[in-house]
Amino acid sequence: MNDGSTPTPNTTAPRAADAAAAPAAPAKGTLAALRGLLPFLRPYRRQFVLAGIALLVAAGATLAIPYAFKQMIDHGFGAAAGNASPHNVNATFLALFGVATVLGVATAARFYMVSWLGERVTADIRSAVYGHVVGQSPEFFETTRTGEVLSRLTTDTTLIQTVVGTSISLALRNTLLFAGGLAMLFVTSARLTSIILGLLVLTVVPIVLYGRRVRKLSRDSQDRIADASALAGEILNAMPTVQAFTHERIEARRFGASVEGAFATAMRRIRARSVLTMLAIVLVFGAIVFVLWLGAHAVLEGSMTGGDLGQFILYASIVSGAIGALSEVMGEAQRAAGAAERLLELLAVRSSIQDPARARALPARAAGGAALQLAGVDFSYPSRPESAALAQLDLDVRPGETVAIVGPSGAGKTTLFQLLLRFYDPQAGAIRLDGVDIRDLPLHTLRGAIGIVPQDTVIFSADALENIRYGRADATDAEVIAAAKLAAAHEFIERLPEGYRSFLGERGVRLSGGQRQRIAIARALLKNPPLLLLDEATSALDAESERLVQAALEAAMVGRTTLIIAHRLATVQRADRIIVMEDGRIVETGTHASLVALGGIYANLAALQFHNVQVTAAAQA
């Protein structure tokens, strides 16, 4: 339950403070951002080497083509060819076919390897990001929208897949073609090549400067897409409320406005990239055309042969094409850099709740449940540091004892459960389980010793069997069914169309509130923990179901320590001890009878509830 002490999540992006203990985020800049992907690329060095070999062979085959044409022009059609002209032409075209075959095989091998790398690295990144996110503490989810995380897992990783699986290969290929073509241009005519290089330097400067603007717009575009995804996820998860308040059109307009904002940002990026592409093509090809004009005059003057000019033109085309392709790749790299920054920011976030450096084990426990001790616990939520949710809380629970926790909303009851599960750490004081500070226990050991039945039950998109088995993944079908019987869930599950194999729908939409809660109780009973936390475990049940579940819970409490949060005091009267909380403190302790006799907060709550029950019963009579 939300007793008012749990902060309401906001919808801001991850804060810089969340990553305070994390490695530094990548510096702004394409190379710095993409360098952060190296840990995901290193495991596949062998595949990169194979792709590199195929790339070198393909680039070499491409660079051999202009030389073959030079030989054909000078020795096939030139004045010195003579009677050997047909033979030279045949040999040249045979060689060209051989080069084309090598080029085709090498290109296919390169495409296969880099595509495999793109898919593999993307899968690794998605798994790493998801595994990192599910390990975050609730503090992270207070400030991060689920839809934004999903956008990073899908849209951003797809952009990185494009870079790893296509753009890196194209960049390397065209870099090799540029370098090889440039070398052959010098071999063909050093004078013309020097002129073309000088002109190209003048063209690169504006391209680089404008490329920075493209990168910033790419990051902005991804942010707007994430905003739209987050909004859609939030609304789709709340459709009953949206429809009950007839807000369908309002929410559709909100989403439409968000999508239009993303579209406008994307169009700014597209326009900037279009201008970048135009600049690259016009400036580079203009420089090449000017140099080729000089070469044509050199042939007319006799200082170059026709074959030399043809070879120069083909190598110039290769170089210019490589530059044009690199400008396209740069545009993709700009977008991927923004995506990489967002993913690396997510991976840089470190939870404040970590396994201890020197973990301890729980001592061997005899039957009877866990011992629990809270000593001087102070706690404030990170989003509300000025407001104490718990203050100087002291509590000792004996093994096997059942303790009920009551109090008004905002008293700190649910906060206490969150600290026991170590979703947060207290700012002062200590919590001990079987005499061991829970901060000295591995998180899986601690949480494995605790079972919880929350008020807001979570049902997964699976069948009834798997939903209950969530309590203990290795449980047999028979153990699952036994737990369902204990929780009074067996009968209604058996009546489902396919029994325990019935799909329960997303978030359990095919079940009533009481049925969902009984699934959660069965899940906790299957786990069979020494410490059981019940957070309004019977709040959504009708009278008959509550009677059945109460009997099941009382049986389940035997041999284990149990803490019960309840507003309905009828469910806690048989507890060994009742503690009353107010403003984060324990203000009363005792049994039902002693607290009623005390005439304090509990007595007032009991009098109000039981009076309402009597009035309702009289009205029904």
Side-chain angles (χ1 to χ4, degrees):
M1 60 171 281
N2 188 343
D3 62 12
S5 58
T6 304
T8 302
N10 60 40
T11 56
T12 59
R15 301 167 301 175
D18 295 331
K28 300 297 182 182
T30 302
L31 294 179
L34 294 179
R35 197 179 299 125
L37 301 178
L38 289 177
F40 297 98
L41 302 176
R42 288 193 187 104
Y44 307 110
R45 295 185 183 92
R46 178 173 172 270
Q47 287 80 1
F48 271 106
V49 169
L50 293 175
I53 292 172
L55 186 65
L56 286 170
V57 173
T62 302
L63 291 172
I65 292 174
Y67 179 75
F69 273 94
K70 167 184 164 51
Q71 297 301 312
M72 180 184 66
I73 293 172
D74 286 345
H75 300 289
F77 304 112
N83 295 330
S85 179
H87 172 75
N88 291 338
V89 169
N90 293 339
T92 300
F93 277 98
L94 186 61
L96 278 173
F97 179 75
V99 170
T101 302
V102 172
L103 178 61
V105 172
T107 301
R110 174 186 63 84
F111 172 79
Y112 175 83
M113 292 307 305
V114 297
S115 296
W116 184 92
L117 284 165
E119 296 288 347
R120 181 68 267 164
V121 169
T122 301
D124 290 349
I125 291 174
R126 283 179 177 148
S127 296
V129 172
Y130 186 78
H132 185 72
V133 168
V134 297
Q136 297 302 307
S137 68
E139 181 183 355
F140 172 83
F141 296 99
E142 287 179 28
T143 55
T144 306
R145 292 178 294 183
T146 304
E148 181 173 346
V149 175
L150 292 176
S151 173
R152 298 189 188 196
L153 281 171
T154 53
T155 306
D156 289 356
T157 52
T158 300
L159 286 174
I160 290 174
Q161 178 184 351
T162 300
V163 169
V164 175
T166 303
S167 299
I168 289 179
S169 171
L170 289 176
L172 292 174
R173 174 178 178 272
N174 285 287
T175 299
L176 287 174
L177 291 178
F178 174 79
L182 194 60
M184 292 305 297
L185 283 176
F186 269 110
V187 170
T188 306
S189 175
R191 184 179 71 87
L192 293 180
T193 305
S194 300
I195 295 173
I196 201 171
L197 278 181
L199 294 174
L200 286 177
V201 169
L202 296 177
T203 66
V204 167
V205 173
I207 292 173
V208 171
L209 293 177
Y210 202 78
R212 294 178 181 175
R213 171 175 168 78
V214 174
R215 181 186 165 280
K216 181 179 182 302
L217 290 173
S218 297
R219 173 65 190 263
D220 292 343
S221 179
Q222 291 304 113
D223 288 342
R224 299 293 77 74
I225 292 171
D227 290 342
S229 298
L231 178 61
E234 179 182 358
I235 299 306
L236 291 176
N237 285 329
M239 282 311 298
T241 302
V242 172
Q243 293 175 351
F245 285 88
T246 65
H247 272 222
E248 296 93 333
R249 294 182 180 177
I250 294 175
E251 296 301 343
R253 285 197 297 269
R254 283 182 63 204
F255 182 72
S258 181
V259 169
E260 287 301 316
F263 172 76
T265 305
M267 288 309 300
R268 287 197 294 273
R269 171 182 59 80
I270 291 169
R271 281 194 294 268
R273 187 174 171 188
S274 299
V275 171
L276 180 63
T277 303
M278 179 193 70
L279 281 174
I281 293 174
V282 171
L283 293 177
V284 171
F285 275 86
I288 291 172
V289 168
F290 173 71
V291 172
L292 292 180
W293 174 77
L294 294 177
H297 280 275
V299 173
L300 293 176
E301 295 168 359
S303 58
M304 286 183 72
T305 67
D308 287 336
L309 180 59
Q311 178 177 283
F312 191 89
I313 291 173
L314 288 176
Y315 280 126
S317 299
I318 289 173
V319 170
S320 62
I323 293 174
L326 286 172
S327 69
E328 287 285 333
V329 170
M330 184 60 69
E332 291 295 334
Q334 300 285 3
R335 294 187 66 196
E341 281 182 0
R342 288 158 48 85
L343 287 168
L344 294 172
E345 282 174 3
L346 203 55
L347 286 171
V349 176
R350 288 291 177 269
S351 173
S352 57
I353 306 299
Q354 297 285 339
D355 281 327
R358 295 183 178 180
R360 295 179 59 186
L362 286 171
R365 181 186 302 111
L372 185 66
Q373 180 186 39
L374 288 85
V377 171
D378 288 337
F379 176 71
S380 298
Y381 282 100
S383 57
R384 297 190 323 212
E386 74 288 345
S387 175
L390 296 177
Q392 286 300 299
L393 192 70
D394 294 299
L395 177 65
D396 282 305
V397 182
R398 299 184 303 275
E401 186 179 12
T402 297
V403 176
I405 306 169
V406 300
S409 295
K413 304 185 295 296
T414 296
T415 298
L416 173 60
F417 276 20
Q418 291 181 324
L419 292 185
L420 294 179
L421 287 161
R422 209 174 165 223
F423 290 159
Y424 300 91
D425 280 336
Q427 281 84 32
I431 302 173
R432 298 183 180 89
L433 184 68
D434 286 335
V436 180
D437 192 314
I438 63 173
R439 285 172 291 196
D440 294 332
L441 293 172
L443 290 173
H444 277 247
T445 300
L446 169 65
R447 294 168 184 170
I450 301 174
I452 184 167
V453 180
Q455 181 181 20
D456 297 325
T457 302
V458 174
I459 300 295
F460 298 96
S461 296
D463 58 31
L465 201 67
E466 293 306 315
N467 264 284
I468 297 175
R469 189 178 275 123
Y470 205 81
R472 182 158 55 88
D474 60 351
T476 64
D477 289 358
E479 289 172 323
V480 170
I481 293 171
K485 288 178 178 177
L486 273 177
H490 178 71
E491 291 186 5
F492 84 77
I493 293 175
E494 284 284 275
R495 291 195 298 269
L496 295 173
E498 299 177 44
Y500 279 84
R501 294 295 181 184
S502 297
F503 177 68
L504 302 183
E506 187 175 1
R507 294 178 290 115
V509 294
R510 297 184 179 182
L511 301 179
S512 68
Q515 289 172 335
R516 288 196 295 271
Q517 200 135 30
R518 278 179 276 173
I519 292 284
I521 292 171
R523 189 184 290 162
L525 294 177
L526 179 66
K527 188 176 183 180
N528 194 27
L531 176 60
L532 183 62
L533 309 179
L534 305 177
D535 190 351
E536 293 283 7
T538 61
S539 63
L541 305 181
D542 55 44
E544 177 62 20
S545 296
E546 182 175 4
R547 182 185 65 80
L548 294 171
V549 172
Q550 282 288 1
L553 289 176
E554 287 178 12
M557 292 174 195
V558 175
R560 78 183 80 246
T561 305
T562 307
L563 300 185
I564 307 171
I565 292 176
H567 278 136
R568 292 159 65 172
L569 302 186
T571 64
V572 302
Q573 290 185 42
R574 290 188 290 276
D576 298 321
R577 184 163 37 126
I578 300 171
I579 65 171
V580 183
M581 295 187 66
E582 185 177 46
D583 296 329
R585 301 175 183 271
I586 296 176
V587 294
E588 296 176 5
T589 303
T591 63
H592 172 73
S594 66
L595 290 175
V596 169
L598 186 64
I601 296 174
Y602 182 87
N604 292 333
L605 290 172
L608 180 62
Q609 285 200 21
F610 293 135
H611 172 72
N612 290 339
V613 169
Q614 293 171 357
V615 170
T616 302
Q620 291 175 347

